[in-house]
Amino acid sequence: MEQMLDIFKAMSDKNRLRILKLLQAGELCACHLVAALNLVQPQISFHMKILKKAGLVLDRRCGRWTYYRLNDTDMFIRFLLLSALERIQEESITDDCRRLKEFSCSPSNPCK
């Protein structure tokens, strides 16, 4: 029951849903999430800790950078994410995607 509470708590925040929607396209570095969501790094870390605890995302370290991806190893979580994320319209993260694209193409992108 605790895992279910963690999952629904994690999915009850708009910023965490935005993160999950962005991760639906593939793995992203924490610095990409900072740029896309226009949040500071401690805020992203806070949200990622909750998403990881719920088992919704997985991470990997590469040097000083942390990369995140959706957890597709658990079928329940996979179907839950698919169901929830398909109900979030792409238009709701248009600005996030634009900022992500601008940052990814920027020479100031630290994790290239």
Side-chain angles (χ1 to χ4, degrees):
M1 181 138 106
E2 286 300 315
Q3 182 187 18
M4 293 297 293
L5 292 172
D6 289 341
I7 289 170
F8 288 112
K9 176 185 176 185
M11 295 181 74
S12 69
D13 180 86
K14 182 179 180 177
N15 286 326
R16 290 192 286 273
L17 288 175
R18 289 167 62 201
I19 290 168
L20 292 171
K21 188 69 176 174
L22 289 171
L23 291 175
Q24 191 174 26
E27 183 179 70
L28 290 172
C29 177
C31 66
H32 287 106
L33 295 171
V34 167
L37 275 69
N38 205 21
L39 298 174
V40 294
Q41 188 275 327
Q43 288 175 307
I44 294 295
S45 292
F46 171 77
H47 290 304
M48 298 315 295
K49 180 179 177 182
I50 292 170
L51 292 170
K52 281 176 44 181
K53 180 180 181 203
L56 298 173
V57 298
L58 301 173
D59 67 343
R60 70 176 176 90
R61 302 272 307 164
C62 185
R64 60 185 252 217
W65 303 111
T66 303
Y67 291 83
Y68 298 97
R69 66 186 184 283
L70 294 179
N71 181 1
D72 62 357
T73 61
D74 181 305
M75 289 304 267
F76 171 73
I77 289 174
R78 188 184 225 173
F79 285 123
L80 181 64
L81 285 171
L82 181 63
S83 312
L85 296 178
E86 76 178 8
R87 286 170 171 67
I88 299 173
Q89 297 178 350
E90 293 294 326
E91 296 81 35
S92 65
I93 62 161
T94 301
D95 291 337
D96 298 340
C97 292
R98 178 187 47 77
R99 284 189 296 269
L100 178 60
K101 184 175 181 178
E102 288 171 0
F103 179 76
S104 295
C105 296
S106 167
S108 65
N109 180 347
C111 63
K112 280 187 174 181

